[in-house]
Amino acid sequence: MAKRYNQYTDTEKEFYFYIGLLSDRFAKMEVLVRDMLGAFISDDDVLNAYLFEKNSLDANIKLIKTINVRHNYEPEILKGILEEVNYIKSERNSFIHGIWSEPSAKDNDIFIFCSSPKMKFEKEPNGKKWSFGHGKSVRLTYIKKLVSRIDDIMVSQEAFVERLKNFDLEYWMSKG
């Protein structure tokens, strides 16, 4: 049964605050990937948003890599940003689509179990098996670190977009 806000403990409120903040950061980081891609294409933000809004995060990352093969714009910085985004992306689905247990305090931290609602097919030595409810235990301190890590990634993304917008790629390519 669902609870009202005043029925949650302080531990639960703190956890849900940070999982909400993490969800918000995931979304903003993903939009900044789209902005990075758009900065390679056009200075028209509306056009860029329209062209790439339906793309998956993976598709936008692949397009950025493909386009930058031609432009070779800050390749090491771009590689670092995209590696960080990929790391976060690997965590994103379990956090956003996972089913969370009630948080509990233990060992000076808050723990929660996040299970996946999807079926998982596994090969075992004696055959094959479908399993349900797989997941992982997560500490609140880890979630806080992810929020901080995404904040750092977003600062890098924003700076990259600003530099790219102020750089004339076409002029640079005509000189090479």
Side-chain angles (χ1 to χ4, degrees), residues 124-155:
E124 294 184 342
N126 59 348
K128 300 171 185 170
K129 173 182 140 183
W130 287 95
S131 65
F132 178 75
H134 53 281
K136 61 183 171 184
S137 183
V138 179
R139 292 174 176 256
L140 179 59
T141 52
Y142 179 68
I143 293 171
K144 288 178 179 180
K145 286 178 183 175
L146 279 178
V147 168
S148 179
R149 191 168 180 173
I150 295 172
D151 285 343
D152 291 343
I153 294 167
M154 290 189 316
V155 167

Side-chain angles (χ1 to χ4, degrees), residues 9-35:
T9 66
D10 288 342
T11 297
E12 291 169 322
K13 288 176 185 175
E14 183 178 14
F15 168 76
Y16 292 120
F17 168 80
Y18 278 102
I19 199 68
L21 188 60
L22 183 62
S23 176
D24 175 70
R25 294 303 195 268
F26 285 146
K28 287 178 180 177
M29 182 190 71
E30 193 163 344
V31 167
L32 283 167
V33 167
R34 188 191 67 205
D35 291 349

Side-chain angles (χ1 to χ4, degrees), residues 117 141 165 173:
T141 52
K165 282 182 176 181
M173 292 306 294

Side-chain angles (χ1 to χ4, degrees), residues 31-169:
V31 167
L32 283 167
V33 167
R34 188 191 67 205
D35 291 349
M36 290 170 65
L37 175 57
F40 278 109
I41 305 299
S42 168
D43 59 1
D44 184 336
D45 293 335
V46 174
L47 174 64
N48 290 332
Y50 178 76
L51 288 174
F52 306 117
E53 73 180 341
K54 296 201 188 294
N55 285 4
S56 68
L57 181 56
D58 274 336
N60 284 340
I61 289 170
K62 287 176 186 173
L63 280 170
I64 289 170
K65 289 177 179 179
T66 300
I67 290 168
N68 206 40
V69 166
R70 178 174 183 252
H71 293 300
N72 199 33
Y73 183 75
E74 296 186 0
E76 290 305 311
I77 292 171
L78 182 60
K79 179 182 175 190
I81 291 171
L82 295 179
E83 284 175 355
E84 283 292 304
V85 169
N86 274 321
Y87 172 81
I88 296 299
K89 180 181 66 101
S90 70
E91 293 288 333
R92 181 178 135 255
N93 284 346
S94 65
F95 282 102
I96 299 304
H97 300 293
I99 299 171
W100 296 92
S101 68
E102 295 291 319
S104 61
K106 179 179 155 189
D107 299 331
N108 294 323
D109 207 346
I110 297 172
F111 286 82
I112 193 153
F113 188 80
C114 180
S115 62
S116 172
K118 295 185 178 186
M119 297 292 289
K120 184 177 181 181
F121 182 74
E122 300 169 337
K123 286 187 176 186
E124 294 184 342
N126 59 348
K128 300 171 185 170
K129 173 182 140 183
W130 287 95
S131 65
F132 178 75
H134 53 281
K136 61 183 171 184
S137 183
V138 179
R139 292 174 176 256
L140 179 59
T141 52
Y142 179 68
I143 293 171
K144 288 178 179 180
K145 286 178 183 175
L146 279 178
V147 168
S148 179
R149 191 168 180 173
I150 295 172
D151 285 343
D152 291 343
I153 294 167
M154 290 189 316
V155 167
S156 297
Q157 288 174 297
E158 289 167 348
F160 184 88
V161 168
E162 283 307 307
R163 288 191 310 276
L164 186 54
K165 282 182 176 181
N166 293 318
F167 187 76
D168 188 343
L169 286 172

